[in-house]
Amino acid sequence: MLQREVVFPVPADRLWEALTEPDSLGGWFGADVEWDLTPGGIARFVGSDDGDRHGLVDDVAPGRRLRFRWWPDDDEEAVSEVSYQLDPEDEGTRLTVTERRVTPAPRPPSASASAVRWDGWDDRLTGLWLSARAGAPRPVLVAVAVSA
Amino acid sequence: MTTLDSDVVFAALGDATRRHLLEDLSRRGPLTATELARVHPVSRQAVVKHLVALASAGLLTSDRHGREVRYRVDSDAIGDAARWLAEVGTRWDHRLAALQRHLE
């Protein structure tokens, strides 16, 4: 799972508008976005560098959170789920973006998966991969030794 | 190339014994469960259970030679999961930087 957090110096409703209004999205998202912002609504992302995408809106709480699944037109198996969480702060609004791969047919989360803390593992896994690549002839996965 | 479900990978790596086994295999592998049980403070049966969890997450591959099963790290599979995280992360970094400018 990938996660990013940024605090923007604007109120939540202004951030929500930038995240959801097609006109605002054109100014930063890197694709033209058309979507029906209701659960089950269809989404379309066109003109991005990495290809056009279809999407499906799963959860909408205006000003607070949005969750949708999307996949490239040329690889319908590569489904991932994006969620936005908006939390008011003293100096603005914290946006937490997560994106994770999901299987095309959603399945219930396993007990073992939910018991793990994910924080920070994305960077560690990247470090692990880099050390695996750099360490010829045999990969030495240094990062695996770091305890959670 | 195997496509890993990153949540399954993280779940597999969420256990300290499994991380130690994976690390050992990456340094000395391929190894059998018996060889691993000799140097790790867990029973052979427990080692087998952990190896199966790591293999089903796509992190290990195994080869059978007669009665012996040797496990090795699948660094391509680990690379695939890490590459997904790196690519998707870069895209979000660009989008969020553009959003910051958009909101100024």
Side-chain angles (χ1 to χ4, degrees), chain B residues 7 14 17 22 25 34 40 45 60 66 74 88 90 102:
Chain B
D7 282 359
T17 305
L22 189 64
L25 280 168
T34 308
H40 290 270
Q45 286 91 328
L60 296 182
D74 189 342
V88 172
T90 303
H102 176 80

Side-chain angles (χ1 to χ4, degrees), chain A:
Chain A
M1 184 181 80
L2 181 112
Q3 186 163 314
R4 293 286 188 269
E5 284 185 32
V6 183
V7 178
F8 294 99
V10 295
D13 55 351
R14 170 89 181 85
L15 180 57
W16 177 259
E17 183 191 304
L19 292 171
T20 56
E21 291 292 330
D23 286 347
S24 293
L25 281 160
W28 65 273
F29 194 78
D32 289 328
V33 183
E34 283 178 45
W35 51 14
D36 169 17
L37 277 187
T38 50
I42 303 275
R44 187 76 177 125
F45 307 85
V46 176
S48 153
D49 292 346
D50 59 310
D52 298 343
R53 287 169 169 261
H54 284 285
L56 200 56
V57 176
D58 287 315
D59 184 25
V60 186
R64 292 189 290 132
R65 65 173 191 275
L66 173 65
R67 186 158 50 81
F68 61 92
R69 276 170 287 165
W70 63 350
W71 56 92
D73 285 9
D74 57 7
D75 187 1
E76 294 186 354
E77 298 285 296
V79 183
S80 59
E81 180 188 81
V82 175
S83 74
Y84 297 143
Q85 169 82 34
L86 289 72
D87 294 298
E89 301 245 327
D90 290 345
E91 62 271 37
T93 308
R94 176 182 301 274
L95 172 67
T96 306
V97 178
T98 61
E99 180 160 356
R100 62 185 193 92
R101 278 186 185 177
V102 290
T103 48
R107 54 182 185 190
S110 71
S112 61
S114 60
V116 177
R117 285 184 72 241
W118 310 119
D119 315 28
W121 273 103
D122 53 345
D123 294 336
R124 267 186 225 176
L125 193 61
T126 305
L128 182 152
W129 172 59
L130 291 175
S131 60
R133 288 295 143 125
R138 181 186 294 167
V140 176
L141 307 177
V142 181
V144 178
V146 180
S147 56

Side-chain angles (χ1 to χ4, degrees), chain B residues 37-48:
Chain B
R38 247 176 241 146
V39 293
H40 290 270
V42 280
S43 68
R44 187 185 170 281
Q45 286 91 328
V47 167
V48 170

